[in-house]
Amino acid sequence: MEQILIVEDDITLNQGLCKALKENDRQIVSCESISEAKEQLSLGTVSFVLLDIKRA
C-alpha cells in the first residue's frame, strides 16, 4: 500500500491535503512538525513526502 507523509503545521491546510489525497489504496500520515515527520520516516514505510517549507 502506498503511504504519503504530509508535513504541514497549518492544521486547516493539513486536513485539506489529507482529504484531497485520500484514496482506498493509499494511506495518509500527517504530521505538524519536523520531529514527528522524522519519526515516521524512521519507520521506513513512506512512499512520498509532501513538505511545507517556510523561507525566512
Side-chain angles (χ1 to χ4, degrees):
M1 175 180 281
E2 183 179 57
Q3 185 180 70
I4 297 177
L5 174 61
I6 298 173
V7 186
E8 171 60 65
D9 61 343
D10 182 308
I11 295 170
T12 304
L13 285 175
N14 194 320
Q15 290 173 342
L17 288 167
C18 289
K19 186 176 179 180
L21 295 171
K22 184 177 180 179
E23 297 213 1
N24 290 335
D25 61 341
R26 181 182 295 154
Q27 182 180 10
I28 306 293
V29 177
S30 68
C31 298
E32 295 178 17
S33 70
I34 199 71
S35 60
E36 288 179 56
K38 285 180 181 179
E39 187 175 323
Q40 284 298 317
L41 286 170
S42 72
L43 298 175
T45 58
V46 175
S47 306
F48 184 79
V49 177
L50 182 60
L51 176 63
D52 176 29
I53 299 174
K54 293 183 184 179
R55 292 188 174 193

